[in-house]
Amino acid sequence: MNALDDVIDSLSRLPGIGKKSATRIAYHLLKNDRSVCLRLADDLSVLHEKIHPCKICGSYAEQEVCPVCSDPLRDRSVICVVEQPKDVQSIEAVREYRGLFHVLGGVIAPLEGIGPDQLRLSELVSRIHTEHISEVILATNPSVEGDTTALYIQKILKNLGVKITRLASGLPVGGDLEYADKLTLARSFRGRSVF
Amino acid sequence: MNALDDVIDSLSRLPGIGKKSATRIAYHLLKNDRSVCLRLADDLSVLHEKIHPCKICGSYAEQEVCPVCSDPLRDRSVICVVEQPKDVQSIEAVREYRGLFHVLGGVIAPLEGIGPDQLRLSELVSRIHTEHISEVILATNPSVEGDTTALYIQKILKNLGVKITRLASGLPVGGDLEYADKLTLARSFRGRSVF
């Protein structure tokens, strides 16, 4: 096992990268300038050191409090609840939502041994009490686990006097009825709006 | 631009990795144990330091002479000529070929300004003179550039008294006549063998 095999092995453990892609990337790095490879190495070596969960919302940030939580221009009366830090990034990229976030750190998945206690739910409840929140948007994924988790949170929060909403689920824009799966199509009927 | 964006940016410059894959990988690295990330960083940081072209064949190795060139059990009368070091790895993975290699370091591509002088051709000719080679297998890709380069090498070598062969080109195993492109199908006729 030489240094090249080591790189291929390490790269192929990353999500979405198989042995062939890893090999291609390793040879690409060797063929190109040394600085490209060293820059990536440097960036990776400081990643865990510099990036930590925001102590308020739980998404990743270099500071103790993330840019969203510390931005005075955000709407501080709305919290969008998501599963993972990367969901914050996906939503921020759309530039549609201007409120705050709360990262659960996962979903209720009994088969994987993840119960409500492992999620950041007590932090959510205390934020609703202290931060004068008027609406909680449940933005967990439209999957079995995501729906279950949303339902569980709705039950916990329903007596706290906040409006609780769930992201719309239905046909994707640009999609085609023919190719929509049955569950999505059924849900698009249930969630239909007046035109 | 924080440390997380730096990693995403560096990763998305790698071949076959777009912005979405890079983001997914970066969040995966952050979520998982710090040691995975640091091991990849370490492997990358020593890659260029440890791996160099073999001084005989030009493929990558940790030693001055690569394992293939220094293996006494290889057939030292045959040289397989390939474009890139990664082609050596592809051929070695098949375990069909037991001879030596010679890496050109590219193909003749006038549009990209790569002429015969930039390829390791004089090294090939001197190896044929000094190493008692009886056969040269031209294993450049079956592309316009690869075919041109193979033809050029064949012209250079034809008076040196070595047998010159070219890898067979035709229908891929498990393929279907219906989906074969015209050029491949035409070539499978020209290269047909007696059954």
Side-chain angles (χ1 to χ4, degrees):
Chain A
M1 190 93 161
N2 65 21
L4 182 56
D5 294 327
D6 286 343
V7 167
I8 293 173
D9 183 62
S10 288
L11 286 171
S12 62
R13 288 167 196 269
L14 299 176
I17 298 191
K19 185 93 187 198
K20 285 226 170 182
S21 310
T23 306
R24 193 167 152 225
I25 292 169
Y27 278 98
H28 167 91
L29 287 170
L30 259 178
K31 205 184 168 191
N32 279 271
D33 200 62
R34 185 180 181 141
S35 64
V36 175
C37 195
L38 290 180
R39 200 191 131 190
L40 177 56
D42 286 347
D43 289 346
L44 288 169
S45 64
V46 299
L47 183 64
H48 277 259
E49 213 169 284
K50 286 198 175 171
I51 303 285
H52 302 279
C54 164
K55 68 171 189 174
I56 299 173
C57 73
S59 77
Y60 290 128
E62 280 200 348
Q63 306 79 20
E64 235 191 9
V65 174
C66 77
V68 172
C69 286
S70 56
D71 183 350
L73 297 174
R74 306 288 297 210
D75 178 354
R76 312 194 81 81
S77 67
V78 191
I79 286 186
C80 177
V81 177
V82 295
E83 296 179 14
Q84 302 289 353
K86 67 170 186 282
D87 299 327
V88 172
Q89 207 244 16
S90 304
I91 293 172
E92 281 298 281
V94 177
R95 296 174 176 275
E96 166 80 22
Y97 176 69
R98 296 296 301 158
L100 304 174
F101 288 98
H102 190 83
V103 177
L104 295 173
V107 272
I108 298 169
L111 289 177
E112 290 166 41
I114 303 172
D117 296 347
Q118 276 123 298
L119 305 180
R120 297 179 65 253
L121 285 172
S122 56
E123 289 91 334
L124 176 63
V125 173
S126 75
R127 283 183 73 184
I128 292 168
H129 281 302
T130 56
E131 292 181 32
H132 309 289
I133 304 299
S134 62
E135 180 178 356
V136 174
I137 303 174
L138 300 176
T140 51
N141 287 324
S143 60
V144 175
E145 291 86 358
D147 285 342
T148 309
T149 308
L151 198 66
Y152 184 89
I153 298 174
Q154 187 260 333
K155 281 185 181 166
I156 290 181
L157 304 185
K158 69 179 173 190
N159 296 324
L160 297 183
V162 285
K163 184 177 168 190
I164 303 167
T165 56
R166 177 93 173 103
L167 285 192
S169 191
L171 301 170
V173 177
D176 193 315
L177 281 182
E178 189 181 348
Y179 300 118
D181 64 288
K182 287 176 189 170
L183 286 172
T184 301
L185 196 52
R187 210 176 270 200
S188 73
F189 270 91
R190 262 179 268 151
R192 69 191 181 276
S193 54
V194 179
F195 195 61
Chain B
M1 189 94 162
N2 66 21
L4 183 56
D5 293 328
D6 286 343
V7 167
I8 294 173
D9 184 62
S10 288
L11 285 172
S12 63
R13 289 166 196 268
L14 299 177
I17 299 192
K19 185 95 186 196
K20 284 224 170 182
S21 309
T23 307
R24 194 169 151 224
I25 292 169
Y27 278 98
H28 167 90
L29 287 170
L30 259 179
K31 206 186 168 190
N32 278 271
D33 199 63
R34 186 180 181 142
S35 63
V36 175
C37 196
L38 291 180
R39 199 192 131 188
L40 177 56
D42 286 347
D43 289 345
L44 289 169
S45 64
V46 298
L47 183 65
H48 277 258
E49 213 170 284
K50 287 199 175 171
I51 303 286
H52 303 280
C54 164
K55 69 170 187 175
I56 299 175
C57 73
S59 78
Y60 291 129
E62 281 201 347
Q63 304 79 21
E64 236 192 8
V65 174
C66 77
V68 172
C69 287
S70 56
D71 183 350
L73 297 174
R74 307 287 297 209
D75 178 355
R76 312 194 81 80
S77 66
V78 191
I79 287 186
C80 176
V81 177
V82 296
E83 296 179 14
Q84 302 288 354
K86 69 168 185 281
D87 300 326
V88 172
Q89 207 244 14
S90 304
I91 293 172
E92 281 298 282
V94 176
R95 296 173 177 272
E96 166 80 19
Y97 176 68
R98 296 297 301 159
L100 304 174
F101 288 98
H102 190 84
V103 177
L104 294 172
V107 272
I108 298 170
L111 288 177
E112 290 165 41
I114 303 172
D117 295 347
Q118 275 124 298
L119 306 180
R120 297 179 65 252
L121 286 172
S122 56
E123 289 91 333
L124 176 63
V125 172
S126 74
R127 283 184 73 185
I128 291 168
H129 281 303
T130 56
E131 293 181 30
H132 310 289
I133 304 298
S134 62
E135 180 178 355
V136 173
I137 304 173
L138 300 176
T140 51
N141 287 323
S143 60
V144 175
E145 292 87 357
D147 284 342
T148 309
T149 309
L151 197 66
Y152 184 88
I153 298 174
Q154 187 259 331
K155 281 184 180 166
I156 290 181
L157 304 185
K158 69 178 170 188
N159 296 323
L160 297 182
V162 286
K163 183 176 166 190
I164 303 167
T165 56
R166 179 95 173 99
L167 285 192
S169 192
L171 301 171
V173 177
D176 194 315
L177 282 180
E178 189 181 349
Y179 300 118
D181 63 289
K182 288 177 190 169
L183 286 172
T184 300
L185 196 51
R187 212 177 270 200
S188 74
F189 270 92
R190 261 180 268 149
R192 70 190 180 279
S193 54
V194 180
F195 195 60

